[in-house]
Amino acid sequence: MKLIRFTAAAAMLALAAGAAYAAGTGQQGYFQIYNKTENHIATGFYTNEGDGWSENWLSEELGPGESARAEFSSDSGECEQLIQIGWLGDDGNEVMDEPISIDICETSNVYLDDNEISYD
């Protein structure tokens, strides 16, 4: 099982790959991330709640068709977060998507598509 960790100030997120987890809601402290691309590998997941970007806490890549569960807990962290995804470029370097803002407390699913990141 993959274990991927990243933090943002007071929030802690942990991703464990696999579809065995049911989709949840941020209100329950977790949400699901789906790589819905056909050919792109996610190499980084970064968060920013207003005080700068976190380090890349992905310990393993998220390939096409894979999903991961993101869990977080915080007594004082911000629900509104900027997220940015890094992708494996043709030259082996990380290529960054434009950041988007999501409310992790209200999010159930994050979808990584070829030309956009969406959530519900």
Side-chain angles (χ1 to χ4, degrees):
M1 176 187 312
K2 289 185 196 178
L3 182 59
I4 305 166
R5 296 175 187 249
F6 51 97
T7 62
M12 177 181 166
L13 301 173
L15 298 178
Y21 296 109
T25 68
Q27 292 175 345
Q28 296 169 317
Y30 63 94
F31 56 90
Q32 199 75 12
I33 298 174
Y34 299 91
N35 181 347
K36 295 185 67 172
T37 68
E38 292 187 24
N39 300 309
H40 301 289
I41 298 169
T43 58
F45 192 107
Y46 305 90
T47 58
N48 184 338
E49 64 180 51
D51 58 356
W53 289 103
S54 68
E55 294 180 27
N56 179 9
W57 292 92
L58 259 65
S59 62
E60 296 184 32
E61 299 170 339
L62 188 62
E66 293 183 334
S67 67
R69 177 175 160 150
E71 295 182 13
F72 62 94
S73 62
S74 172
D75 293 331
S76 61
E78 297 291 327
C79 286
E80 192 68 28
Q81 299 272 330
L82 284 176
I83 64 167
Q84 188 171 35
I85 307 300
W87 299 97
L88 184 61
D90 291 337
D91 61 0
N93 291 321
E94 189 172 48
V95 177
M96 304 303 293
D97 258 347
E98 290 295 318
I100 67 160
S101 179
I102 69 169
D103 181 334
I104 62 171
C105 299
E106 295 295 325
T107 298
S108 296
N109 303 291
V110 175
Y111 306 100
L112 310 178
D113 289 302
D114 286 320
N115 294 311
E116 70 178 338
I117 299 170
S118 59
Y119 62 95
D120 58 20

